[in-house]
Each structure stands twice: as C-alpha cells, then as structure tokens.
C-alpha cells in the first residue's frame, strides 16, 4: 500500500535563536503511528549535509514507514546559520531543540523565515490533505505563535551517520523519556573522534557505554522494575571503513558488551545476562563497504529497517 506523505521544507529555531534548515515528512495511513526518525548527517566542514547519499537512502526507506521523519542541517551546513563547533556541544543543543519539538508536539518555525501567512497556509494545506483534524487546524490557526502541530510520538530512532552518530550518541535516553529513543549509529568515527570532539572524546564514549549498560540492566530487571521503554543501540559499519578498522570496531563493541555484563547482577544466569546485552547492543558488519557507502546505501537502510521493531 502506498503511504501518502506531507513534506515540509522549513527553517526551525534552535536553542540560541539560530535558524536550522529542515526537511520534515509526515506520513499518513499505513505508517506506524507514534514513531519518528531523526536523521543526523556527517561533518559539515567536509561536505556533510542533509542531502548526503546515506541520509537520502535512509529517508527513502523510512519516511513512509514512520509517522514523522525529521532531517535537518546542522549549524554550518547548507542554509543553516552558525558554524561547526570544535566539540559538538553546540550541535548537541541543536539536536535537543529538535527533540524538544517532537516531545512537545510543536514544530517551532523560525519567525525570521516564516510569516504568519506562511504558517496559516501550511495549516490549511495540512488540513486539506488530511494531516490535521479540523479542530486542531482551527485551534492552531487562532493561536498567536509560530508553531505547527506535530503528531504525538512515543518511539524515536536517532539515526546518525559518521559525525551525526557521535551527536546521536550524546543524547541520554532519560533526557526525553516520552520519546522512547533508540539509536542507529552508522560508521561511528571511533578512531578520529579526537579530531571531531577534542577533549570531549571520552565524554561521548562514556555516554555510549552508559546507554548500553543501562539498557542491559533495565532489560535484565524486567517489569515492573524496568522502565516502559528500554533503549536499543545498533552499530552499522563497513569492514573497509576508511577511518576505523573493523578490528578496532570489534574490540570496542566487545568492550561495551563486557562492561554491560559486569554491571549486571551476579545472580543472573549466563543466558539471561547474554540476552539482556544482546537486546541492548547489536552490531552489523558489512563486507567491503567503506565509510562513504557509495552504491551500498541500501544495505544500511535494510539493516535498520529489519532491526528497528517499531516499524514492523
């Protein structure tokens, strides 16, 4: 069944008032209600932007499956304002601003780029296409603000590629509990993280370890002790990655698994402990794929679609 979509090219407002260029896609009947995907692109100074080949392939594969898809240019990329920071700290705040919009159900249009007439026109189009109920359209049109209503979201996939995966990993699940965040980290720049994050390299790696270990512990505890959503993390890497060898990836993933196992209760059976860690961490190795994934993009998308259960 072909799922109808409503696409919106816009500028949204970040935490410091800067404008971020964004592409937002709402999917109609047939998409999985309550699901969202947020795409994060590679390093802007090296040409990374939301129309990157991998991001575009992921968008083609996921935009009609999830109820909401959100791609945006990080500061310094495309037509987004600002410039790339040395540690990713400013970009993390941009991402938090986007996730805050999803959590609040309000897409905050930037007033310098969108007039009140633009907003009313968008609301009318959404209503005419069936993406906004009449009462909601009327209420939104009457409100004196720059927001567009978004559907309620309870499961979110942070889908980061290269530098974008570093940023995705920097968000703790507990920051946005209502969004039910999972992580798809593609070609994580492990061996060059020092160049992208400087002194915050260890912070990003520790955040990943905490996310994986915390998820394994919550999964092992089971209900009612575990939270409603227990986050999962997927790594996708090519065996011919230009920056991080597959052997280095394998050692790191094994270290993450070992740390997660050590954090589990000693009374837990070996099988139960392994199951909990397997739930929290999945790694996919793609033979002979390099960091750019040229003509191999569909393999990344296929791995994510088959792994992220909310789409099924």
């Amino acid at each position: 069944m072909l799922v109808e979509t409503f696409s919106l090219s816009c500028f949204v407002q970040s935490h410091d008032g800067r404008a971020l260029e964004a592409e937002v896609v709402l999917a109609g009947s047939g998409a999985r209600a309550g699901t969202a995907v947020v795409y994060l692109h590679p390093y802007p100074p090296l040409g990374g932007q939301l129309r990157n080949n991998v991001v575009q392939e992921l968008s083609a594969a996921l935009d009609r499956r999830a109820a909401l898809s959100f791609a945006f240019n990080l500061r310094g990329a495309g037509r987004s304002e600002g410039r790339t920071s040395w540690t990713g700290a400013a970009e993390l705040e941009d991402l938090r601003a986007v996730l805050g919009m999803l959590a609040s159900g309000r897409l905050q249009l930037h007033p310098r780029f969108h007039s009140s007439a633009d907003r009313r026109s968008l609301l009318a189009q959404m209503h005419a296409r069936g993406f906004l109920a009449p009462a909601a359209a009327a209420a939104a049109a009457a409100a004196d603000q720059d927001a567009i209503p978004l559907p309620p979201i309870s499961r979110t996939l942070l889908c980061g590629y290269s530098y974008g995966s570093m940023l995705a990993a920097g968000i703790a699940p507990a920051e946005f509990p209502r969004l039910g965040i999972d992580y798809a980290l593609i070609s994580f720049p492990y061996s060059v993280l020092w160049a992208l994050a400087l002194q915050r390299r260890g912070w990003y790696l520790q955040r990943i370890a905490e996310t994986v270990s915390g998820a394994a512990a919550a999964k092992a505890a089971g209900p009612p002790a575990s939270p409603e959503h227990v986050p999962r993390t997927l790594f996708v890497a090519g065996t011919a990655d230009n920056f991080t060898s597959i052997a280095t990836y394998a050692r790191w993933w094994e270290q993450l698994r070992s740390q997660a196992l050590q954090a589990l209760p000693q009374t837990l059976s070996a099988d139960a402990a392994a199951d909990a860690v397997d739930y929290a961490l999945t790694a996919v190795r793609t033979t002979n794929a390099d960091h750019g994934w040229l003509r191999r993009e569909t393999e990344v998308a296929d791995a994510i679609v088959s792994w992220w259960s909310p789409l099924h």
Side-chain angles (χ1 to χ4, degrees):
M1 180 180 70
L2 182 62
V3 176
E4 186 178 4
T5 61
F6 183 88
S7 299
L8 171 61
S9 297
C10 61
F11 287 88
V12 298
Q13 189 164 333
S14 188
H15 65 102
D16 58 359
R18 297 186 189 276
L20 302 175
E21 182 184 12
E23 299 282 346
V24 182
V25 178
L26 303 177
S29 178
R32 298 293 291 186
T35 61
V37 180
V38 178
Y39 305 105
L40 295 155
H41 63 71
Y43 195 49
L46 297 180
Q49 42 88 24
L50 64 80
R51 294 172 183 86
N52 165 271
N53 62 309
V54 173
V55 175
Q56 290 292 91
E57 183 62 37
L58 292 171
S59 176
L62 299 174
D63 283 0
R64 281 184 163 82
R65 298 173 184 267
L68 186 154
S69 299
F70 200 121
F72 69 102
N73 272 326
L74 298 166
R75 56 181 58 212
R79 294 189 293 165
S80 289
E81 295 180 333
R83 59 183 178 182
T84 304
S85 71
W86 291 105
T87 64
E91 289 81 353
L92 266 178
E93 293 306 316
D94 292 339
L95 176 54
R96 289 187 174 103
V98 168
L99 294 174
M101 294 180 209
L102 268 59
S104 68
R106 292 157 50 87
L107 181 69
Q108 199 67 39
L109 299 177
H110 202 293
R112 284 195 284 107
F113 290 82
H114 300 282
S115 66
S116 297
D118 292 337
R119 177 174 167 275
R120 288 193 297 270
S121 175
L122 284 171
L123 292 171
Q125 293 175 48
M126 291 173 68
H127 171 50
R129 295 273 304 278
F131 286 90
L132 195 59
D144 184 20
Q145 50 193 290
D146 301 304
I148 296 291
L150 295 174
I153 299 299
S154 58
R155 293 296 301 273
T156 304
L157 181 63
L158 292 187
C159 199
Y161 167 39
S162 191
Y163 178 72
S165 68
M166 178 191 87
L167 299 176
I171 299 295
E175 291 186 63
F176 299 93
R178 292 173 55 188
L179 293 181
I181 293 175
D182 294 309
Y183 305 83
L185 309 180
I186 306 158
S187 299
F188 188 88
Y190 181 85
S191 293
V192 293
L193 200 60
W194 60 272
L196 302 176
L198 298 181
Q199 73 274 12
R200 284 174 65 89
R201 174 185 183 274
W203 181 87
Y204 286 102
L205 296 179
Q206 181 61 29
R207 175 57 59 86
I208 295 173
E210 290 171 354
T211 296
V212 171
S213 293
K219 188 65 177 177
S226 64
E228 184 175 343
H229 171 67
V230 178
R232 302 176 67 204
T233 300
L234 169 70
F235 288 98
V236 181
T239 61
D241 190 276
N242 309 72
F243 302 107
T244 304
S245 71
I246 198 62
T248 298
Y249 275 132
R251 285 194 296 270
W252 179 41
W253 295 335
E254 185 54 39
Q255 181 183 41
L256 289 173
R257 291 183 58 85
S258 178
Q259 290 174 336
L261 284 169
Q262 291 173 16
L264 296 178
Q266 297 299 309
T267 54
L268 205 62
S269 71
D271 287 345
D275 288 345
V277 175
D278 287 343
Y279 171 90
L281 172 62
T282 303
V284 173
R285 303 166 174 83
T286 303
T287 303
N288 294 330
D290 61 20
H291 197 82
W293 295 95
L294 191 61
R295 292 185 291 277
R296 306 289 297 275
E297 299 92 344
T298 56
E299 296 173 63
V300 180
D302 290 346
I304 292 172
V305 169
S306 64
W307 168 81
W308 202 44
S309 57
L311 296 180
H312 304 160

